[in-house]
Amino acid sequence: TVMWSMSIPKTPSMTQFALNHSHIVRVNRKGTQLTLELVREFVAQNNAAQIKHVIQILSQEFALSHHPHSRKGGLIGLAACSIALGKDSGLYLKELIEPVLTCFNDADSRLRYYACEALYNIVKVARGSVLPHFNVLFDGLSKLAADPDPNVKSGSELLDRLLKDIVTESNKFDLVGFIPLLRERIYSNNQYARQFIISWILVLESVPDINLLDYLPEILDGLFQILGDNSKEIRKMCEVALGEFLKEIKKNPASVKFAEMANILVIHCQASDDLIQLTAMCWMREFIQLAGRVMLPYSSGILTAVLPCLSYDDRKKSIKEVANVCNQSLMKLVIPEDDETDEGKQSLSLQMEPKEETLSQQEVTSSGESLFILTSSGHTDKIPVTLNLDGIVQVLDCHLHDMTIGMMTRIAVLKWLYHLYIKTPRKMFRHTDSLFPILLRTLSDESDEVILKDLEVLAEIASSPAGQTEGQGPCDGSETRLGQSELHVPIKASQVSSSGMKGTECSPSTPTMNSYFYKFMINLLRRFSSERKLLETRGAFIIRQLCLLLNAENIFHSMADILLREEDLKFASTMVHTLNTILLTSSELFQLRNQLKDLKTPESRNLFCCLYRSWCHNPVTTVSLCFLTQNYKHAYDLIQKFGDLEVTVDFLTEVDKLVQLIECPIFTYLRLQLLDVKNNPYLIKALYGLLMLLPQSSAFQLLSRRLQCVPNPELLGPGQKTPSTSKSTATNIDYMELLQHFEHVQNKHLEVRHQRAGRGEHLDRRVVL
């Protein structure tokens, strides 16, 4: 070792020497030896003042000198001084370390190397005594880790390993004092500094006596940022560190500050880097499953991060799968108790006192049994975990409005809305007015799966008891009244008047609809009117699904009621045609067809009258309704009126379709009734009437061949005289009034067509002029 020497007076004892006028003679091995002997002599005499004086001179006049050789000698001298002090070096560490650390910033790389070597010797002698100075040592080392000179970096690595050994074998490490420095340095962008930081985190995490998990919220964000480093080695190290922390979290969930880290994970779950996003999503999955309802207050942020991931393609399949688990787990945390009033929850929290000071691990890790938050001290707060429903709905609403999101995300959003309406209907109905428009617009989605989920939500809104407006039936208000008491939409049994008479006639089995049901039907028809393409491509699909989700009778009853007041007569005719096709052909309407077939009950007759009045917008559908309900005489009377109507190509096309329909399984009973000629004369007359309306087309040939199969009544032998009416005309329905209504509606259609034609003629004339 090279060292400095001084001029020493010729005296019997070195203790008589004062260092007040020292100066450098040369730097050599002899000087190192002299320093060692000098300091050892002072140690033997317990002369602390002289020891400090030696260290001060080595520091101020040499290590901090402007001359590079002086600085080099000073550094070596300080190292030699530490060696001489031995176990007593801990008493002078501040004085020994500070000048060496100052030299870490020297512009000369060789001096930085000597400083590193000197500090290595100082630390090696002092061992555990350096721990009170750990922060300044760590700070200096973190800078050397990024040193451009390979020799300096190599020397710093030796010192780093030594310091790690000392921390590992000691139980006096001041973690609390170290965390602020670690939190600051973890945001370094230098690769070597990051590598240095991660290596220390891994060491501290491995020491049994050091509980770094308690301070994880302070460094977690920095760890995720380092995870995005360009170096594969650093990313791998950081991934290992995060993995170790997650293992520790799973082992000791009761001591984890889940809530303090929730928002950090939310941010990194939205990262553009796949590794960061996947890792953060895996952490989020574990947090939701381990912490349970503690995560509920952060639901809106979690959904903001998770929902877009559900539409990822196979390139990000892993992220998508983990996000799906997060979404499902979070959904399970919402329970019916979340629908209680906030005041009720607060009173409940005041009444409930925890039996023990801390919650057991089982209570903390449950998926939602406990309604109380576990604080960092392990005590239960008296403030219950509350569901931030407003925030969740805002996020879901925002995602539905975003036209760029994927199909799976839209489906997940609708599943969430449905789940919330099931679990927390009272609170959700506060948001229904704002959600209703976007739910209706979603019916125009390109995906059938999205439309199905959307219909489920709308059906739940329309049928949930929580949506019932007290004291008001769904048809109250001038907007939805017809004036005919038999045409009201069914209302709740609780709204039956004291006299026992219902405001509407409906079958006892009809499920209750709330005040949103009629609003839904009105807005659905408005949407069909404004989007004819939606009606053409998805109209039948939507209505059929609604008949499965809600009560078919209610749907047809209300739509017929609304269409009766429809001002756009062309749309009304088109809509009636659509509804009639669904009624006659869909398997979902089997029960409703059977109910209408015989008109045995007041409810079925009321429904027939309601449908009939709207069906009058389309003459052919009106006849088909009479065929369905076996009102054959009235069907014949209607066909007689067809002679007064304006026969168009569209009209004849619909007659053609009706003939085709008569040949379908739906009207099997009608075709069989042709065998009973004597009891069904008006059925035969009505069919012949249709035949006379048709030109001699394929439909004409089809119906003609069918009527040729009708047996000759004279060949059937003696029997009853032909009755004047079919079996359905014995009911108390005013068919004359219905016939007059049919004429009135058709006259309105004729007027509108003439007005439209007149406007077109006027425009043509104006163009010519």
Side-chain angles (χ1 to χ4, degrees):
T1 305
V2 185
M3 194 53 210
W4 60 274
S5 67
M6 297 176 291
S7 59
I8 302 174
K10 305 294 183 179
T11 56
S13 173
M14 285 187 179
T15 58
Q16 297 173 4
F17 174 67
L19 294 171
N20 293 334
H21 305 288
S22 60
H23 63 278
I24 291 183
V25 178
R26 63 186 182 277
V27 179
N28 59 17
R29 297 178 183 274
K30 185 177 180 181
T32 304
Q33 185 64 33
L34 287 172
T35 304
L36 289 170
E37 292 175 4
L38 179 66
V39 174
R40 282 170 180 166
E41 180 67 25
F42 290 150
V43 171
Q45 296 176 1
N46 199 24
N47 193 338
Q50 288 288 28
I51 294 172
K52 286 186 177 180
H53 197 57
V54 171
I55 295 173
Q56 184 180 7
I57 290 197
L58 290 170
S59 300
Q60 299 299 324
E61 299 192 21
F62 294 98
L64 301 178
S65 169
H66 294 294
H67 195 281
H69 291 292
S70 298
R71 293 200 297 274
K72 180 180 176 183
L75 289 170
I76 297 172
L78 288 171
C81 188
S82 175
I83 293 170
L85 286 168
K87 63 179 181 180
D88 292 331
S89 63
L91 301 172
Y92 308 95
L93 278 175
K94 188 174 187 296
E95 293 83 357
L96 290 167
I97 289 174
E98 285 184 352
V100 178
L101 289 174
T102 302
C103 291
F104 276 9
N105 299 316
D106 199 288
D108 189 339
S109 61
R110 290 175 299 176
L111 276 167
R112 293 199 303 273
Y113 175 79
Y114 278 113
C116 188
E117 186 179 55
L119 189 57
Y120 178 88
N121 287 315
I122 294 170
V123 171
K124 188 169 185 179
V125 171
R127 301 298 293 183
S129 299
V130 303
L131 288 179
H133 308 278
F134 177 81
N135 278 14
V136 292
L137 294 174
F138 182 89
D139 184 48
L141 269 176
S142 65
K143 295 172 183 176
L144 285 188
D147 198 283
D149 187 275
N151 291 324
V152 176
K153 196 187 306 181
S154 176
S156 72
E157 289 172 358
L158 287 172
L159 176 57
D160 181 48
R161 283 199 291 271
L162 174 61
L163 201 55
K164 284 173 180 172
D165 290 340
I166 294 171
V167 170
T168 303
E169 66 191 21
S170 173
N171 58 0
K172 296 180 181 179
F173 181 72
D174 182 15
L175 183 61
V176 176
F178 172 62
I179 287 297
L181 179 60
L182 179 61
R183 184 178 60 238
E184 175 193 341
R185 292 304 165 88
I186 202 169
Y187 287 105
S188 171
N189 290 323
N190 183 278
Q191 286 190 351
Y192 298 108
R194 283 180 163 184
Q195 192 170 19
F196 173 77
I197 292 287
I198 292 296
S199 68
W200 267 102
I201 290 175
L202 284 168
V203 167
L204 294 175
E205 175 62 16
S206 66
V207 179
D209 294 332
I210 297 177
N211 187 10
L212 197 56
L213 192 61
D214 284 346
Y215 303 94
L216 183 57
E218 300 190 50
I219 62 172
L220 185 62
D221 179 59
L223 281 171
F224 272 105
Q225 294 206 24
I226 293 177
L227 191 60
D229 195 273
N230 294 327
S231 167
K232 290 183 179 179
E233 184 181 354
I234 294 174
R235 287 166 74 98
K236 185 63 180 176
M237 286 178 65
C238 190
E239 198 174 355
V240 170
L242 285 167
E244 291 299 317
F245 276 121
L246 194 56
K247 287 179 184 177
E248 196 68 24
I249 288 171
K250 292 179 183 179
K251 290 179 184 177
N252 305 290
S255 61
V256 178
K257 300 172 182 177
F258 291 105
E260 294 181 28
M261 293 183 279
N263 285 329
I264 297 173
L265 293 183
V266 166
I267 292 170
H268 292 290
C269 280
Q270 301 173 71
S272 57
D273 184 281
D274 287 357
L275 180 59
I276 295 177
Q277 189 177 29
L278 176 60
T279 306
M281 200 69 73
C282 289
W283 276 60
M284 184 67 76
R285 175 189 62 196
E286 298 300 330
F287 272 37
I288 295 172
Q289 293 177 352
L290 292 171
R293 290 179 59 85
V294 172
M295 301 296 287
L296 268 185
Y298 309 94
S299 299
S300 57
I302 296 172
L303 287 175
T304 300
V306 166
L307 288 173
C309 302
L310 301 178
S311 292
Y312 283 174
D313 54 26
D314 288 342
R315 288 174 296 177
K316 296 186 177 183
K317 185 178 180 181
S318 299
I319 300 174
K320 178 180 179 179
E321 289 174 350
V322 180
N324 187 52
V325 175
C326 289
N327 183 56
Q328 296 295 328
S329 300
L330 188 64
M331 191 178 289
K332 291 176 182 177
L333 298 181
V334 181
I335 56 178
E337 285 76 8
D338 289 315
D339 206 28
E340 296 172 4
T341 59
D342 297 333
E343 295 79 7
K345 278 193 173 184
Q346 289 173 4
S347 63
L348 176 67
S349 65
L350 292 173
Q351 294 171 7
M352 293 181 64
E353 294 290 340
K355 296 180 180 179
E356 300 178 6
E357 289 188 355
T358 60
L359 288 176
S360 67
Q361 179 174 331
Q362 182 180 0
E363 289 173 316
V364 177
T365 59
S366 67
S367 61
E369 293 302 320
S370 174
L371 294 178
F372 295 90
I373 296 177
L374 182 71
T375 61
S376 57
S377 63
H379 292 78
T380 52
D381 277 349
K382 291 188 177 181
I383 300 175
V385 176
T386 55
L387 178 69
N388 181 17
L389 191 63
D390 292 350
I392 293 176
V393 171
Q394 185 178 0
V395 171
L396 297 176
D397 183 61
C398 181
H399 278 78
L400 273 186
H401 277 90
D402 186 358
M403 303 304 294
T404 62
I405 62 172
M407 179 189 74
M408 297 308 297
T409 298
R410 296 198 298 278
I411 291 174
V413 168
L414 293 167
K415 283 183 176 179
W416 258 102
L417 288 172
Y418 181 77
H419 183 71
L420 292 173
Y421 270 109
I422 294 293
K423 297 294 183 181
T424 59
R426 186 188 62 81
K427 289 184 177 179
M428 275 301 294
F429 266 94
R430 299 173 187 172
H431 302 279
T432 298
D433 286 340
S434 62
L435 288 171
F436 209 66
I438 186 60
L439 288 172
L440 285 168
R441 285 202 294 274
T442 305
L443 291 174
S444 302
D445 197 275
E446 297 177 355
S447 166
D448 286 350
E449 293 181 60
V450 172
I451 294 175
L452 281 172
K453 292 300 173 186
D454 190 39
L455 288 172
E456 286 182 14
V457 178
L458 287 166
E460 182 59 30
I461 291 173
S463 60
S464 174
Q468 185 62 51
T469 304
E470 294 185 7
Q472 175 181 322
C475 296
D476 281 355
S478 58
E479 181 187 10
T480 56
R481 301 292 286 189
L482 277 179
Q484 290 87 357
S485 61
E486 72 274 18
L487 296 179
H488 303 160
V489 176
I491 60 174
K492 285 186 71 173
S494 61
Q495 294 174 319
V496 177
S497 63
S498 57
S499 62
M501 292 296 292
K502 295 183 181 180
T504 175
E505 296 180 33
C506 64
S507 63
S509 62
T510 302
T512 300
M513 298 294 112
N514 63 33
S515 53
Y516 279 94
F517 172 78
Y518 209 73
K519 182 180 179 181
F520 176 28
M521 293 297 108
I522 291 172
N523 282 279
L524 180 59
L525 288 175
R526 283 177 181 170
R527 192 148 194 85
F528 284 151
S529 177
S530 61
E531 284 191 50
R532 297 300 172 88
K533 186 177 180 181
L534 175 64
L535 176 60
E536 293 171 8
T537 58
R538 298 290 179 79
F541 171 72
I542 290 172
I543 294 170
R544 288 174 61 183
Q545 292 303 318
L546 282 176
C547 288
L548 290 174
L549 295 166
L550 297 170
N551 180 266
E553 179 182 345
N554 283 356
I555 291 170
F556 273 77
H557 205 304
S558 58
M559 284 191 170
D561 189 12
I562 296 163
L563 287 171
L564 192 59
R565 296 179 306 283
E566 176 60 52
E567 294 180 358
D568 185 346
L569 299 184
K570 186 174 182 181
F571 166 70
S573 177
T574 303
M575 194 67 222
V576 163
H577 177 74
T578 302
L579 290 171
N580 185 68
T581 303
I582 296 169
L583 177 63
L584 294 179
T585 61
S586 299
S587 57
E588 295 86 354
L589 277 298
F590 175 78
Q591 187 175 352
L592 187 60
R593 284 196 296 271
N594 282 344
Q595 184 180 341
L596 287 168
K597 191 177 293 184
D598 295 322
L599 301 181
K600 291 179 179 179
T601 64
E603 292 79 18
S604 62
R605 292 193 291 272
N606 179 47
L607 178 60
F608 165 73
C609 291
C610 178
L611 295 181
Y612 181 95
R613 291 175 183 276
S614 288
W615 263 228
C616 287
H617 283 297
N618 190 307
V620 179
T621 60
T622 313
V623 171
S624 66
L625 179 63
C626 291
F627 281 158
L628 175 65
T629 56
Q630 302 185 64
N631 281 297
Y632 301 137
K633 182 179 186 306
H634 193 68
Y636 172 71
D637 293 338
L638 283 173
I639 292 171
Q640 292 296 307
K641 297 289 183 179
F642 283 7
D644 300 328
L645 301 179
E646 184 178 11
V647 178
T648 63
V649 174
D650 291 339
F651 176 85
L652 292 176
T653 301
E654 291 195 24
V655 175
D656 188 299
K657 290 179 180 178
L658 177 57
V659 171
Q660 302 290 339
L661 201 59
I662 290 171
E663 296 297 320
C664 291
I666 296 295
F667 281 116
T668 300
Y669 68 92
L670 181 147
R671 296 196 300 275
L672 289 173
Q673 286 175 351
L674 291 174
L675 295 173
D676 190 359
V677 178
K678 293 182 178 180
N679 287 321
N680 295 292
Y682 287 106
L683 170 59
I684 298 172
K685 287 185 176 183
L687 294 177
Y688 269 110
L690 292 178
L691 189 67
M692 296 302 107
L693 288 171
L694 285 168
Q696 295 193 24
S697 60
S698 58
F700 176 90
Q701 300 297 333
L702 186 64
L703 183 55
S704 176
R705 287 197 296 271
R706 174 63 65 185
L707 289 173
Q708 288 173 12
C709 298
V710 175
N712 188 335
E714 295 181 359
L715 300 177
L716 297 177
Q720 294 180 334
K721 293 184 178 180
T722 302
S724 59
T725 61
S726 62
K727 62 180 179 179
S728 290
T729 56
T731 63
N732 57 357
I733 296 175
D734 188 348
Y735 287 99
M736 184 57 67
E737 191 271 335
L738 292 180
L739 198 59
Q740 290 172 356
H741 177 77
F742 174 81
E743 293 175 344
H744 173 70
V745 171
Q746 286 303 308
N747 285 334
K748 285 174 63 178
H749 275 268
L750 185 61
E751 290 175 11
V752 169
R753 282 197 296 272
H754 287 171
Q755 288 174 3
R756 191 181 298 118
R759 283 195 300 270
E761 185 178 327
H762 175 71
L763 288 173
D764 290 343
R765 194 180 303 118
R766 187 170 59 183
V767 170
V768 171
L769 292 173

